[in-house]
Amino acid sequence: MVSKMIKQRFSILVLLLILLTFSLGFLKEEAKNMEVPSLKEAYKDYFPIGAAVNHLNIYTYEDLLKKHFNSLTPENQMKWEVIHPKPYVYDFGPADEIVDFAMKNGMKVRGHTLVWHNQTPGWVYAGTKDEILARLKEHIKEVVGHYKGKVYAWDVVNEALSDNPNEFLRKAPWYDICGEEVIEKAFIWAHEADPDAKLFYNDYNLEDPIKREKAYRLVKKLKDKGVPIHGIGIQGHWTLAWPTPKMLEDSIKRFAELGVEVQVTEFDISIYYDRNENNNFKVPPEDRLERQAQLYKEAFAILRKYKGIVTGVTFWGVADDYTWLYFWPVRGREDYPLLFDKNHNPKKAFWEIVKF
Ligand code: 9MR
């Protein structure tokens, strides 16, 4: 009898201990979550904080997106080959999923992108210049029209400038066949399709002094002609070595002279010093994460300084378990360019930009 009672008490004690351990773990987890401040809240007096996502990421990153971001950019789903794969055939499905998620959660959407030399099917360039322009006009009317009132800003033209210092526009069918006219027309037609949308010229390496001046020249010409253009998107694909935050500041100041807004539209900082560095880190080295965090910190101090001119900052991804850098320029190489690690926990870079 006595031993039965002892056994009973012992089992109750064990049960209580198990319960206690569980609730402590739960409380610890809760406390951890509570301690992580919201990035979008920290920046509410500055600019929206965006992330590029695909239509699956909205589920895999749902919690991070809802807590930290108030703007989304479809990473590929509004590009021509996805949204308009065949003549007169539009597939809005994947992009709609992202836009619906954004609308449900009170987020803004950046549209990306209407004119680009990549991810555009060959049939788009068939025929004469007039036929190509007519095709583009229909495309813009359909796509911008479909998202009227939902997409607040469009990357109308993406990466039109050449990387060759002696060449202005890049060698690509859009510009070889239609010249600068295609850029002007794209902005005009996008404005016709949604007069309230902010229209951006978007490009990479705009921190580079030569490319910076090319963008200045291009946008100045458009402005002088009265073409509706409201902003310049500096993509912001950085390495640990290039560019410097100072170069970013110089570009913001230069573009501000044109009276346009500036956004960082595709921010990420690779863990490598060189795009072709001969390393593949299975675990990111501490010193590199530290340097990455310092670069983000300095960049964000500049972005905050130009609040009002800088009207948005978007990261090209959410957490290090999914980034386009796994596929480029070295296929299969690990990289860790974002604010959250592979387990979706905040990295040093996150803490450096959220506390100021
Ligand atoms: O992140 C995008 C990747 O999934 C695509 O395969 C790639 C195709 O070219 O485009 C990537 O996004 C690019 C963006 O649309 C424009 N600026 C450079 C981005 C990274 O390449």
Side-chain angles (χ1 to χ4, degrees):
M1 185 68 189
V2 173
S3 90
K4 198 175 167 201
M5 265 176 65
I6 292 175
K7 259 193 199 157
Q8 256 178 3
R9 287 201 180 151
F10 184 70
S11 327
I12 290 173
L13 197 71
V14 170
L15 205 68
L16 279 173
L17 269 174
I18 291 173
L19 272 174
L20 195 72
T21 322
F22 264 114
S23 29
L24 274 179
F26 177 73
L27 285 175
K28 223 170 102 190
E29 219 21 65
E30 276 294 282
K32 223 169 78 189
N33 281 337
M34 300 269 293
E35 281 163 24
V36 179
S38 152
L39 191 59
K40 68 174 179 200
E41 271 303 304
Y43 280 85
K44 68 176 188 313
D45 296 331
Y46 293 89
F47 35 73
I49 300 287
V53 290
N54 64 40
H55 55 299
L56 302 174
N57 296 153
I58 54 176
Y59 306 106
T60 52
Y61 293 136
E62 187 172 359
D63 294 344
L64 286 178
L65 289 171
K66 285 181 178 167
K67 176 161 177 172
H68 297 287
F69 297 88
N70 46 6
S71 176
L72 296 182
T73 302
E75 184 184 4
N76 291 302
Q77 293 65 26
M78 288 181 175
K79 290 173 182 171
W80 198 311
E81 72 175 9
V82 180
I83 213 162
H84 189 179
K86 292 186 190 138
Y88 307 107
V89 174
Y90 290 86
D91 180 3
F92 293 111
D96 279 357
E97 267 191 73
I98 296 170
V99 174
D100 289 349
F101 176 85
M103 297 299 107
K104 249 185 244 144
N105 291 291
M107 299 167 168
K108 291 173 175 292
V109 179
R110 297 192 85 261
H112 177 85
T113 174
L114 300 168
V115 177
W116 194 24
H117 60 280
N118 269 340
Q119 291 175 282
T120 302
W123 60 264
V124 175
Y125 308 121
T128 63
K129 171 179 169 182
D130 285 346
E131 283 166 331
I132 296 170
L133 287 175
R135 211 168 276 138
L136 177 64
K137 184 175 184 180
E138 177 226 283
H139 175 82
I140 292 179
K141 192 168 160 240
E142 286 294 327
V143 175
V144 176
H146 183 82
Y147 292 110
K148 187 166 187 271
K150 294 181 175 170
V151 165
Y152 88 105
W154 275 100
D155 290 329
V156 176
V157 176
N158 192 42
E159 303 175 5
L161 294 170
S162 171
D163 292 317
N164 174 349
N166 305 316
E167 202 173 69
F168 189 55
L169 296 184
R170 75 164 55 245
K171 291 232 164 307
W174 282 125
Y175 315 110
D176 294 347
I177 303 169
C178 308
E180 268 179 70
E181 190 182 337
V182 68
I183 301 179
E184 293 166 21
K185 288 282 166 51
F187 278 95
I188 291 168
W189 293 329
H191 188 62
E192 276 171 17
D194 186 355
D196 295 326
K198 300 209 160 177
L199 306 181
F200 280 74
Y201 174 73
N202 192 51
D203 212 330
Y204 61 86
N205 291 1
L206 291 188
E207 300 89 344
D208 171 71
I210 297 178
K211 215 160 169 193
R212 175 196 300 145
E213 285 313 307
K214 280 189 193 171
Y216 179 93
R217 203 175 116 202
L218 175 68
V219 174
K220 172 121 185 34
K221 273 203 262 182
L222 294 172
K223 296 271 295 179
D224 289 348
K225 283 192 174 170
V227 173
I229 174 164
H230 313 105
I232 299 182
I234 298 175
Q235 291 185 0
H237 294 294
W238 291 17
T239 67
L240 292 181
W242 196 96
T244 62
K246 163 83 169 59
M247 290 163 79
L248 170 67
E249 178 164 20
D250 290 345
S251 293
I252 295 172
K253 284 204 287 208
R254 185 67 170 140
F255 297 153
E257 289 172 29
L258 292 164
V260 293
E261 297 177 15
V262 176
Q263 298 198 357
V264 177
T265 50
E266 307 184 12
F267 214 178
D268 53 17
I269 306 183
S270 164
I271 206 73
Y272 297 98
Y273 281 88
D274 188 283
R275 290 276 179 216
N276 296 308
E277 196 183 305
N278 201 13
N279 272 316
N280 185 353
F281 294 117
K282 298 298 171 198
V283 176
E286 265 317 307
D287 59 319
R288 293 189 180 222
L289 290 177
E290 177 62 42
R291 180 165 171 84
Q292 179 188 56
Q294 288 311 313
L295 285 170
Y296 269 125
K297 178 184 176 166
E298 287 171 39
F300 269 81
I302 291 165
L303 295 167
R304 289 194 302 272
K305 179 169 160 194
Y306 292 92
K307 121 180 184 184
I309 294 165
V310 174
T311 57
V313 177
T314 293
F315 292 89
W316 208 242
V318 180
D320 287 344
D321 54 327
Y322 171 70
T323 161
W324 70 288
L325 290 167
Y326 289 168
F327 309 98
W328 185 93
V330 184
R331 212 175 173 78
R333 185 176 70 177
E334 304 265 344
D335 209 334
Y336 310 85
L338 297 160
L339 298 183
F340 298 92
D341 68 17
K342 291 189 179 199
N343 297 316
H344 301 188
N345 292 317
K347 290 162 62 183
K348 191 152 197 342
F350 172 86
W351 292 109
E352 289 295 355
I353 68 168
V354 83
K355 290 194 171 155
F356 53 87

